[in-house]
Amino acid sequence: MKFSVIWAYAGSLGILCSFLILFSGFGAESAIIMSRIWLAKWSSTNVTTSQQRDTFLGVYGALGFGQVLLVSAMSLVLTYSAMKAARNLHHGLLVNIMHLPMQFFETTPLGRIVNRFSRDINSVDDKIPRALGMFLRTFLTTLGTIVIISYSTPLFLTCVLPLGALYVFIQVRGIQQ
């Protein structure tokens, strides 16, 4: 998929929906990171009283509940905005087709027009939202993993920054060729 297609799709999602998707995604990943850190702290602490145990369990449960809420919010907003974007893009495609000159309809078989229209709408309705959702989840999980490793082993940052720069260089170089 070309970047221009993804960018046009992101533009049709709307600014508010895009912000809510990113906010809930980052929030959910932050809750995951915090629960991992909290679990590590809990396992290294000598819990002797039931009050300490209940505190650790309560915080861990609250982080898990926040994670569930934010992941659900991200999925709901992504689904809603995908329907909104599909409606906007379908309307724009239909308006463009209806404004084509009559000669186009005389030379192009109707089946070919309908087939192309349905294939494009299938991409807008199914493929692009799924790819966008998978990209966001993968990106946020990767970012969260880097944060967790960097938190536990700060020396890791000396390796990840040069490797990240090398990765970006290779990706840009590969696109140009």
Side-chain angles (χ1 to χ4, degrees), residues 76-128:
L76 287 173
V77 173
L78 187 59
T79 302
Y80 168 76
S81 58
M83 289 189 317
K84 180 180 154 188
R87 187 172 37 247
N88 291 342
L89 293 173
H90 179 271
H91 177 72
L93 186 59
L94 185 61
V95 166
N96 285 340
I97 286 180
M98 297 309 277
H99 285 100
L100 288 172
M102 203 58 181
Q103 181 183 7
F104 173 77
F105 293 102
E106 291 172 356
T107 59
T108 308
L110 186 60
R112 187 176 297 164
I113 295 171
V114 171
N115 187 23
R116 178 63 192 256
F117 193 85
S118 65
R119 188 175 34 170
D120 289 347
I121 292 302
N122 180 42
S123 292
V124 168
D125 288 345
D126 188 40
K127 293 178 183 175
I128 296 175

Side-chain angles (χ1 to χ4, degrees), residues 38-87:
W38 187 256
L39 195 59
K41 181 179 180 182
W42 186 5
S43 66
S44 66
T45 302
N46 186 15
V47 178
T48 57
T49 66
S50 62
Q51 182 183 6
Q52 286 178 322
R53 182 201 63 211
D54 293 344
T55 302
F56 278 110
L57 193 58
V59 171
Y60 188 67
L63 287 170
F65 185 71
Q67 176 186 348
V68 167
L69 284 179
L70 289 167
V71 167
S72 298
M74 180 181 165
S75 295
L76 287 173
V77 173
L78 187 59
T79 302
Y80 168 76
S81 58
M83 289 189 317
K84 180 180 154 188
R87 187 172 37 247

Side-chain angles (χ1 to χ4, degrees), residues 1-63:
M1 231 177 278
K2 292 184 180 177
F3 183 73
S4 60
V5 173
I6 299 294
W7 190 252
Y9 185 79
S12 65
L13 289 176
I15 303 263
L16 180 63
C17 287
S18 298
F19 175 74
L20 287 174
I21 290 168
L22 289 175
F23 177 76
S24 58
F26 277 111
E29 193 59 38
S30 298
I32 292 170
I33 290 170
M34 289 305 297
S35 68
R36 289 177 182 166
I37 292 172
W38 187 256
L39 195 59
K41 181 179 180 182
W42 186 5
S43 66
S44 66
T45 302
N46 186 15
V47 178
T48 57
T49 66
S50 62
Q51 182 183 6
Q52 286 178 322
R53 182 201 63 211
D54 293 344
T55 302
F56 278 110
L57 193 58
V59 171
Y60 188 67
L63 287 170

